[in-house]
Amino acid sequence: MAHINNPMEIYKLLNGSNCRACNEQTCLAFAVAVFKGRKPIGDCPHLEQDVIDRYGGNVEKPNTVDEYKAEAIEKLKQRISSIDLSMAAKRLGAEFSEDTLRIKIFGKSFSVDAKGNLSSEAHINAYMVVPALNYILNGSGKAPQGNWITFRELSGGPPRFAHFQKRCEEPLKRLADTYTDLFKDMLEIFDGKKIDSDFGSDISIVLHPLPLFPIMVCYWRPEEGLESSLHIYFDSSSDDNLDIESNYTMNEGIALMFEKIALRHVT
Ligand code: SF4
């Protein structure tokens, strides 16, 4: 029996055409119905038999969620406890007072104490914690240069590029194709800014996952004979402020977060 952690894992097996042959409005709604056991996966007539065989029984939902990276977080917290947080704040566009570093993550205020504990009124998940602690530990403080480059052009980017496309860009593209509020949500939740990019995209938004680490998300709508596309760009200073693993983790977290938000709208 296949292990399924969330409806998105089923959604990724579907062709995304929203043809409604399964009697659901969208592929996303069908994925949720299968995950909740309301529909058998074989109700989608477009799936290959081997996929139906693999996922045809009741899907098994193992314990999941954010125990993920707990060990990495503990190690980073230990390292934070040995650095001068006031110096790190000066370097990284953060503030420091009462033994606490205050930093904006996606536009929201977070505090980091001398033991590396992150706190905020906003929701905190592991996908943010690891990059934020690495940024505080290793970010050089280099200011953004205003030149956008691809993940592949970052140091250490080429070997991970295919994964980055699959786990970060493609899920967002598929969401943007079907969930029309995606960019509105991104702007609101992450305090982002809509811009006119030089890349001719239909929608371009800039987000600040960390103060000196902006990203730009560009989306091109489908046109006659052409599929839609979505790409995430990075400032050319990115390598100086965040390592490639943290960058990947953060973007994967963004994709997962918006998949969950989109799912809430169809359940
Ligand atoms: S799940 Fe399958 S049948 Fe249902 S809308 Fe998507 S492609 Fe069509």
Side-chain angles (χ1 to χ4, degrees), residues 14-22 24 26-27 30 43-46:
L14 309 172
N15 67 16
S17 65
N18 301 325
C19 71
R20 302 188 185 179
C22 57
E24 293 287 344
T26 62
C27 294
F30 178 73
D43 275 11
C44 172
H46 306 295

Side-chain angles (χ1 to χ4, degrees), residues 41 48 53 81 95 103 107 156 175 211 219 227 238 249 251:
I41 198 164
E48 299 291 334
D53 291 344
S81 65
E95 291 171 7
I103 188 166
L175 282 180
Y219 177 66
E227 260 197 47
S238 296
T249 298
N251 279 287

Side-chain angles (χ1 to χ4, degrees), residues 58-163:
N58 290 328
V59 291
E60 193 176 329
K61 303 166 197 167
N63 297 332
T64 55
V65 211
D66 292 8
E67 298 126 18
Y68 177 71
K69 305 233 170 190
E71 208 182 309
I73 291 170
E74 275 317 306
K75 283 186 186 150
L76 290 169
K77 279 166 68 175
Q78 280 171 19
R79 286 182 57 206
I80 289 275
S81 65
S82 68
I83 67 164
D84 182 338
L85 278 184
S86 66
M87 294 300 290
K90 256 189 217 158
R91 198 174 73 238
L92 298 168
E95 291 171 7
F96 183 81
S97 62
E98 296 168 359
D99 293 332
T100 302
L101 178 146
R102 291 184 178 79
I103 188 166
K104 295 266 187 197
I105 303 179
F106 287 113
K108 307 244 172 9
S109 294
F110 286 74
S111 299
V112 182
D113 68 18
K115 291 183 178 161
N117 296 309
L118 201 68
S119 57
S120 175
E121 285 178 5
H123 176 69
I124 300 174
N125 69 43
Y127 296 106
M128 282 180 191
V129 179
V130 171
L133 296 183
N134 270 321
Y135 176 80
I136 293 167
L137 284 165
N138 303 315
S140 77
K142 184 170 180 180
Q145 306 292 294
N147 305 317
W148 295 107
I149 60 176
T150 64
F151 188 87
R152 200 205 300 258
E153 292 172 272
L154 295 171
S155 170
R160 293 170 179 81
F161 186 58
H163 281 295

